[in-house]
């Protein structure tokens, strides 16, 4: 990512400087492949109502169907949501994986996604 004067933008980490984005590691690539694969299966199955209604997060039903809080982490029912997620994993996942390793990145993504889904269920329900 080039900054205003043609230099790469960097973020400060405890171990020094690291660039945003960059080459995806094993953990980030696994998340991208899994999200993309699940979306393609969903899209080519013509977005079955069963998945949309019972797997994707529906705040009004999240407490009666608690598996939605976890299962919806990887299911995107809209291409815009998928693209936003993949870009986020690329921009932030690559440097975090360099810092924490693949296992740390996956735990971070799962934990923050789960907490975000709980917040959505509380606020939206």
């Amino acid at each position: 990512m080039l900054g205003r004067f043609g230099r790469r933008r960097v973020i400060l980490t405890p171990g020094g400087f690291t660039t945003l984005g960059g080459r995806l590691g094993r953990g980030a690539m696994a998340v991208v492949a899994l999200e993309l694969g699940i979306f393609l299966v969903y899209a080519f199955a013509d977005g079955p109502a069963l998945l949309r209604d019972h797997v994707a997060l529906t705040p009004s039903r999240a407490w009666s169907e608690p598996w939605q809080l976890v299962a919806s982490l990887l299911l995107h029912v809209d291409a815009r949501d998928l693209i936003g997620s993949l870009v986020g994993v690329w921009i932030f996942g690559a440097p975090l994986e360099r810092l924490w390793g693949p296992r740390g990145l996956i735990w971070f993504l799962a934990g923050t996604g789960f907490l975000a889904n709980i917040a959505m269920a509380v606020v939206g329900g």
Side-chain angles (χ1 to χ4, degrees):
M1 212 169 154
L2 295 181
R4 184 173 172 190
F5 301 107
R7 297 184 188 151
R8 281 189 160 284
R9 292 185 189 181
V10 294
I11 57 174
L12 183 61
T13 63
F17 289 97
T18 185
T19 58
L20 290 175
R23 186 180 176 107
L24 292 177
R26 289 182 305 143
M29 188 62 78
V31 170
V32 166
L34 195 58
E35 285 186 2
L36 188 59
I38 290 171
F39 176 77
L40 290 175
V41 168
Y42 175 80
F44 283 115
D46 201 22
L50 176 70
L51 287 178
R52 188 176 51 253
D53 294 341
H54 298 288
V55 177
L57 182 64
T58 308
S60 61
R61 282 191 256 163
W63 304 116
S64 62
E65 299 177 354
W67 59 84
Q68 289 183 357
L69 297 171
V70 176
S72 65
L73 292 175
L74 297 172
L75 176 65
H76 300 282
V77 296
D78 187 6
R80 289 177 293 171
D81 297 337
L82 174 72
I83 291 169
S85 177
L86 296 181
V87 168
V89 169
W90 172 61
I91 290 175
F92 300 109
L96 290 176
E97 185 174 5
R98 286 192 294 269
L99 183 64
W100 295 332
R103 185 174 295 164
L105 173 70
I106 290 172
W107 275 109
F108 173 76
L109 292 175
T112 55
F114 181 70
L115 291 175
N117 283 349
I118 289 176
M120 292 256 305
V122 167
V123 172

